[in-house]
Amino acid sequence: MTPNLLTERDRGILRSFATRVDPSDAGARNNLGVLYFRRGMVDDAVEQFMSALTVDPRMTTAQRNLEIASFSSGYHDRRIEQLCHTLRVDPADRIARSELADTWLMLGDPQRASDELGILLRDAPGDIDLITRLATAEAARGDLEVASRWLHHALERAPENAAILTRLGEVAYNRGLNADARHFLERSVALSPHDAEAWYLLGFVLGDEGEHDAAQDATRRAKTLNTSLTKAHTNLSLERFDAQSYARARAERASRGIGAESTASNTHFMLGLAFRQKGYLSEALGEYNMALQRGEDPTVVGRAIAEVHLLNGDTVQAIAAYEALLVDQPQSARLWNACGVAHHQQGAIAEARACYDRSIGGDQRYAPAINNLGVALFHTGESERAFGHFVRAVNVMPSLTKAQLNMALLLVRQGDLHRALITYREVLTGSVENAIAWNGVGLVLSKLGRQADARNAFARAIESRAGYAEAHYNLGFTLSSLGEHADALRETRTALELDPYYTPQKFELAVDLEYEDPLLEIPADLSPVRATASITDFAFEPAALNNLFAGLDGATQEPSPVPALDALETAREKLNEGNAADALQFARRALQNGAPLCDTLLIMGDAFLASNAAGEALERFREARAEDRLNQHAALGELRALIRLERFDEGLGVAEWLDDDDADATSLVFIATARYSAGQFEAARETLRRVDALTPHSVEAAVALGHLEHKAGQRDAAIAAFRTAAQRDPNHLRARIELAALLITRGSVLEAEEVLLEACRIAPREKQPVLVLAALHREEGNVHEAIDLLAAFLKREPYALDVLAALGESLFGLCRFEDAHFAFQRVLRFDANNVSALYYDGVLLAKSDRVEEAHHRWAQVIELAPASLFARRAGRDSVTVRQVAAPARSSEGEGTHHGD
């Protein structure tokens, strides 16, 4: 076991994982227990193993892990001794006896569990729960007939109890009584149609009876009701870390007189298959090994063992198992190919290639091996031969989509994007939900500059495969390029939670297994890249499949023409919905199809402004004015873009043109903004008075007046104006923040705090008032209050990077350097250019004598924001650290001297 070197904070973080685990996922509970045990948290580990067994009492991996943890730590020795002492004092304590029975059962001693349950049942012979638990214990002993009798006894008392019927169906199935099993399970699902386990077991029974369509339907319903059944995850075993741990635990069991392991009367190969199809690979392997010991078909069982090792990623054991099978079947193309896949996953390309050659030698038309040899050829630098093998594999077996995907990926890497896109389209024609193909389409479209289409393709990939980290990453990159930065950041968060590494699209190996078609991917360069960059819901139109492949110099078909006015109207709708990217796309299509130029340019200008692309917007509005010199919309758009670009002198000319007796309130506000921004304060005041005459309670006019007075140096007048704006609209966040900032400069700190607290209340998910209030607390010396405020916000919005950086700064101020470092590192994980985090991380590195790394951080700060306060601090600290280090270097005598 790993020595217990954890701090209390480390333990708190690890324990917090338990709140994120699906309570109905036994495998997740088991794996968390392994993590706890490895970190020395034995009691927590035992709790998780017991939780796993509560969810799935038949989970042998959790059972073995619990025994290892219990007997190596003495945890259950102490608990059993306490319970026995309680019962010696008070034999009638049913709670203690019930817990003791559960403990014995979890520790693999069903005989003692049965004894305790029998005592409890003697005093409560009609207790359905006790009868069911006793039946479970008898089944664990291997006496399925006795278990069945107890369950029938329970059913007599509760004939409509679906849970009892499910257990009866399971026991009957394990006894080989399929007709009885079907009867009980069909009754169970009729009574409880939402019981996923009953549907899942019924799927096994129907499949055994040859009713495959009905079996698939039952399994599909089970997976819909319980999505965890679709997970094919590996359940971790402590024996993986210490192969002798279970043997020692069993020896201690024997020395304490705990019962011998039970034997089951059913076929272990079929039990292994059941576990395998549920995704419990370790349990399946245990049953297969038991099948070998009981003399079941060694060839069939041996192949199953090899396949489970391959699925489990245990390539060494898989290779050994396949080599053992090949001794008796030296001409098997299937076995040679699978053995090659195991070598390939290890990175042993030469050995894999030799196996694939042997496979093809046994069957010249064995497409999986032909495909895999192509992958191996690519990895040895023979790209042209690799492509030829992919083509050959498809010709031999047109349904082998893995070879088609490998063809497309190789074309992408060679820069032949048009042929790659055509190949991906061929895959999607036959399998429209192929996530890898959609992701590939997105990558190609992104390289072709069609970002909006790429976004749709990546979204479709995510729809087709939940948890597809690469597609989440790619969607994040595309959203960022479209200016949708908040969504891009959220996408990065999702991707990083799924997989902290970004790996480019991979080649796929094909393997012919008995029951699965696993996804076996091999990186093209065999070297993952650490992700350093960043889903919203996307409605994907059915017609988009063809549209995505359109407009590629004749390589693919053109989209069907969309009427110009329809496209223009759709663009307006998208803009009103806040979807600027799609609005631009439809506006361009409208323009291509002959829509009115001026109307289209106006929509494009508004869309660019909504995307913070003021320069692009300005060009479109000016083009619109060139088409129609009297167009008020175009002129107002030009003025708004010039204000956004801070080109106020140019804006004045447009403002004067717009200013007439018919100007509306919105136009007048922007005219006033242009005037006071250019220093024409009196003219701006007069313009805003006109706004008040038109709309006496205009919030925007009051806000503009506040900015005007502030710019004119009239602080009290600005405060009054912002107060008026806040009174007119209590939820106007910008007015409150501006008001608080001015109150702070005037020294009215308490009033500023009240204004900011109200802003935090009315907009609890807005970070700006939180940041301003936290800065105010720090300046006033109330650092603890700042930390509480920031931490509370981060509980709601844990990926608000500016707030996280401010928390790091506050923790730094309290000399909580370890916590501050954690905060800054988390910020830099999502935003490598965050100036605040870079600066403080440099300071922390310097404190740890990692001087060169600190200088590198500060150099980044100065390069990214040369005029900022952080840049000045970075320059100062860099000089100071070098000066402090210089005497130390000179005292080293023969040490090397480095200049600044």
Side-chain angles (χ1 to χ4, degrees):
M1 194 190 334
T2 303
N4 187 356
L5 301 176
L6 299 179
T7 65
E8 198 54 44
R9 178 176 174 277
D10 293 333
R11 289 172 176 273
I13 292 172
L14 288 170
R15 287 188 178 116
S16 71
F17 292 169
T19 64
R20 308 177 199 174
V21 170
D22 182 353
S24 65
D25 189 340
R29 288 288 182 190
N30 171 76
N31 293 351
L32 185 57
V34 171
L35 171 64
Y36 285 157
F37 188 83
R38 294 283 297 159
R39 301 305 298 272
M41 298 166 61
V42 178
D43 289 358
D44 298 271
V46 169
E47 180 181 345
Q48 293 303 320
F49 295 142
M50 292 176 71
S51 297
L53 288 167
T54 300
V55 175
D56 188 350
R58 297 169 300 284
M59 188 178 180
T60 56
T61 296
Q63 176 87 54
R64 292 165 76 94
N65 287 342
L66 179 62
E67 291 188 52
I68 293 168
S70 299
F71 287 106
S72 63
S73 67
Y75 176 92
H76 274 111
D77 280 352
R78 296 190 298 274
R79 187 59 186 148
I80 289 172
E81 184 177 342
Q82 291 169 358
L83 291 169
C84 290
H85 174 74
T86 300
L87 290 171
R88 282 194 296 271
V89 174
D90 181 10
D93 190 331
R94 295 180 64 81
I95 295 176
R97 194 173 298 282
S98 178
E99 184 181 344
L100 183 60
D102 288 340
T103 302
W104 284 125
L105 187 60
M106 287 183 178
L107 289 178
D109 198 328
Q111 180 60 61
R112 291 189 180 184
S114 295
D115 292 343
E116 301 298 340
L117 290 167
I119 295 171
L120 290 168
L121 195 60
R122 183 183 58 200
D123 298 326
D127 190 318
I128 300 297
D129 177 65
L130 283 175
I131 295 172
T132 305
R133 289 163 64 192
L134 182 57
T136 300
E138 293 297 337
R141 290 177 56 204
D143 199 337
L144 297 178
E145 186 175 349
V146 172
S148 180
R149 286 203 298 270
W150 278 115
L151 288 170
H152 276 288
H153 182 54
L155 191 63
E156 290 172 2
R157 285 164 168 73
E160 302 300 310
N161 189 308
I164 296 173
L165 287 165
T166 300
R167 296 279 76 79
L168 267 169
E170 180 183 15
V171 170
Y173 177 65
N174 288 334
R175 294 175 68 195
L177 305 174
N178 279 14
D180 289 347
R182 179 171 181 172
H183 169 72
F184 292 127
L185 292 170
E186 286 180 340
R187 281 183 62 192
S188 177
V189 297
L191 290 167
S192 181
H194 299 295
D195 186 344
E197 185 178 5
W199 280 110
Y200 205 70
L201 287 168
L202 182 58
F204 284 137
V205 174
L206 292 169
D208 283 357
E209 292 189 343
E211 298 185 28
H212 301 298
D213 291 339
Q216 288 181 356
D217 182 64
T219 303
R220 191 180 304 111
R221 293 191 64 169
K223 291 180 178 179
T224 301
L225 292 167
N226 182 2
T227 55
S228 68
L229 294 173
T230 64
K231 300 175 184 176
H233 56 70
T234 301
N235 297 316
L236 298 179
S237 169
L238 290 172
E239 295 172 87
R240 175 179 176 182
F241 306 100
D242 179 0
Q244 299 302 314
S245 56
Y246 187 66
R248 287 195 295 270
R250 301 298 288 182
E252 292 199 38
R253 276 186 64 151
S255 70
R256 297 171 196 175
I258 297 174
E261 198 162 3
S262 64
T263 60
S265 61
N266 58 301
T267 302
H268 290 280
F269 175 78
M270 295 305 298
L271 277 176
L273 172 59
F275 280 128
R276 177 174 171 179
Q277 291 180 331
K278 196 173 180 180
Y280 291 162
L281 299 181
S282 296
E283 286 81 350
L285 191 61
E287 292 298 331
Y288 288 149
N289 284 324
M290 183 66 70
L292 286 180
Q293 295 174 21
R294 298 299 172 85
E296 297 180 29
D297 189 332
T299 301
V300 174
V301 176
R303 186 173 66 237
I305 288 173
E307 290 179 354
V308 169
H309 281 312
L310 191 63
L311 292 168
N312 224 358
D314 298 329
T315 54
V316 174
Q317 294 93 325
I319 290 168
Y322 278 118
E323 288 178 344
L325 290 167
L326 284 164
V327 171
D328 296 324
Q329 303 173 66
Q331 301 303 315
S332 172
R334 177 178 174 180
L335 293 178
W336 277 115
N337 178 65
C339 190
V341 168
H343 280 297
H344 212 145
Q345 288 187 301
Q346 279 191 324
I349 306 301
E351 291 83 351
R353 184 169 170 176
C355 288
Y356 299 145
D357 283 331
R358 291 290 300 270
S359 176
I360 297 169
D363 182 352
Q364 293 290 324
R365 296 180 59 80
Y366 191 61
I370 298 171
N371 170 79
N372 297 347
L373 181 56
V375 179
L377 287 167
F378 175 84
H379 285 138
T380 55
E382 301 176 65
S383 296
E384 290 303 320
R385 289 188 63 200
F387 188 80
H389 276 73
F390 297 146
V391 173
R392 179 182 165 196
V394 173
N395 290 337
V396 170
M397 187 178 180
S399 62
L400 188 60
T401 58
K402 296 182 179 185
Q404 288 179 292
L405 291 170
N406 290 340
M407 284 172 59
L409 176 55
L410 188 50
L411 287 167
V412 170
R413 294 183 65 84
Q414 292 174 340
D416 194 342
L417 302 182
H418 293 250
R419 289 177 65 196
L421 201 58
I422 292 169
T423 306
Y424 282 128
R425 181 171 59 178
E426 290 173 354
V427 173
L428 292 169
T429 300
S431 176
V432 74
E433 297 300 327
N434 190 295
I436 295 173
W438 280 117
N439 185 64
V441 168
L443 290 169
V444 173
L445 292 170
S446 182
K447 289 177 181 289
L448 292 170
R450 295 173 57 174
Q451 300 298 339
D453 287 338
R455 179 192 61 186
N456 285 338
F458 292 133
R460 186 60 181 270
I462 292 166
E463 289 173 356
S464 298
R465 187 206 292 182
Y468 193 2
E470 183 188 343
H472 280 287
Y473 276 118
N474 291 332
L475 180 57
F477 303 149
T478 302
L479 289 169
S480 182
S481 69
L482 290 170
E484 300 176 33
H485 302 297
D487 289 341
L489 185 59
R490 284 197 298 271
E491 204 55 41
T492 301
R493 177 194 67 189
T494 302
L496 285 168
E497 288 174 349
L498 291 167
D499 188 348
Y501 289 92
Y502 174 76
T503 51
Q505 197 152 5
K506 308 176 189 76
F507 288 109
E508 287 195 63
L509 298 178
V511 63
D512 186 8
L513 301 187
E514 191 71 33
Y515 302 104
E516 301 92 352
D517 181 18
L519 180 64
L520 301 172
E521 297 180 311
I522 299 291
D525 299 317
L526 297 175
S527 56
V529 180
R530 169 68 74 172
T532 57
S534 40
I535 170 178
T536 57
D537 293 331
F538 290 105
F540 197 88
E541 303 173 12
L545 175 57
N546 287 331
N547 291 339
L548 285 177
F549 302 104
L552 297 174
D553 299 330
T556 55
Q557 69 182 58
E558 293 291 333
S560 56
V562 178
L565 294 180
D566 288 351
L568 195 62
E569 185 58 34
T570 303
R572 287 195 183 95
E573 292 173 1
K574 295 293 183 183
L575 189 60
N576 291 335
E577 293 168 2
N579 191 338
D582 282 356
L584 280 170
Q585 180 182 353
F586 279 100
R588 291 191 182 104
R589 187 179 302 177
L591 199 60
Q592 292 169 355
N593 294 337
L597 178 59
C598 186
D599 291 347
T600 309
L601 289 170
L602 291 176
I603 291 176
M604 295 175 75
D606 287 335
F608 278 123
L609 266 185
S611 302
N612 294 317
E616 292 281 353
L618 179 61
E619 290 184 16
R620 301 306 179 276
F621 288 128
R622 283 182 168 171
E623 289 178 37
R625 290 193 75 194
E627 285 290 312
D628 180 1
R629 293 300 302 173
L630 300 180
N631 192 293
Q632 297 280 329
H633 185 164
L636 181 59
E638 183 178 352
L639 178 60
R640 291 162 58 207
L642 288 168
I643 291 172
R644 193 82 63 87
L645 294 168
E646 299 185 359
R647 290 159 62 173
F648 304 121
D649 290 338
E650 294 180 59
L652 278 176
V654 183
E656 295 301 328
W657 186 89
L658 279 168
D659 190 5
D660 58 29
D661 292 339
D662 295 327
D664 60 18
T666 300
S667 299
L668 289 171
V669 170
F670 283 108
I671 292 167
T673 302
R675 285 173 173 164
Y676 73 67
S677 297
Q680 296 183 4
F681 302 124
E682 285 306 318
R685 287 191 182 94
E686 175 59 31
T687 304
L688 291 175
R689 281 193 283 272
R690 290 168 60 193
V691 176
D692 278 333
L694 289 171
T695 54
H697 299 290
S698 169
V699 178
E700 293 306 321
V703 171
L705 181 61
H707 287 136
L708 185 162
E709 299 296 5
H710 185 205
K711 193 172 181 67
Q714 303 298 316
R715 183 172 61 196
D716 290 342
I719 289 173
F722 285 124
R723 277 201 183 114
T724 299
Q727 290 167 359
R728 290 177 177 176
D729 182 1
N731 295 329
H732 200 291
L733 192 64
R734 185 161 53 112
R736 290 187 175 277
I737 293 173
E738 298 279 7
L739 174 59
L742 288 170
L743 290 169
I744 291 169
T745 63
R746 194 175 70 176
S748 304
V749 174
L750 291 178
E751 186 180 356
E753 285 185 359
E754 292 177 5
V755 171
L756 290 168
L757 284 170
E758 183 62 16
C760 293
R761 187 191 66 77
I762 63 176
R765 293 190 175 276
E766 290 291 336
K767 65 182 178 181
Q768 196 57 34
V770 172
L771 289 169
V772 176
L773 183 56
L776 179 59
H777 284 324
R778 286 198 301 271
E779 290 171 7
E780 292 295 302
N782 301 323
V783 183
H784 288 287
E785 291 185 33
I787 290 174
D788 291 343
L789 177 69
L790 295 165
F793 184 85
L794 287 167
K795 286 182 180 178
R796 296 188 298 271
E797 298 289 338
Y799 295 93
L801 299 186
D802 291 347
V803 179
L804 189 56
L807 177 62
E809 186 174 348
S810 301
L811 292 167
F812 183 91
L814 284 181
C815 299
R816 290 172 57 178
F817 298 132
E818 183 178 350
D819 292 332
H821 178 70
F822 178 83
F824 291 130
Q825 285 297 311
R826 190 163 183 78
V827 172
L828 293 172
R829 179 184 180 189
F830 291 95
D831 181 5
N833 294 328
N834 187 288
V835 173
S836 170
L838 286 169
Y839 168 73
Y840 280 105
D841 197 49
V843 175
L844 293 168
L845 288 167
K847 286 180 175 294
S848 301
D849 293 326
R850 296 162 63 180
V851 175
E852 289 306 317
E853 293 175 73
H855 285 309
H856 176 68
R857 284 279 193 261
W858 291 330
Q860 287 179 272
V861 171
I862 295 168
E863 180 182 353
L864 290 167
S868 68
L869 173 62
F870 287 115
R872 293 197 295 275
R873 290 180 179 176
R876 177 201 64 199
D877 292 351
S878 185
V879 171
T880 301
V881 169
R882 290 189 187 280
Q883 288 175 344
V884 170
R889 286 200 304 268
S890 63
S891 67
E892 293 174 0
E894 296 180 356
T896 303
H897 296 271
H898 300 280
D900 290 342

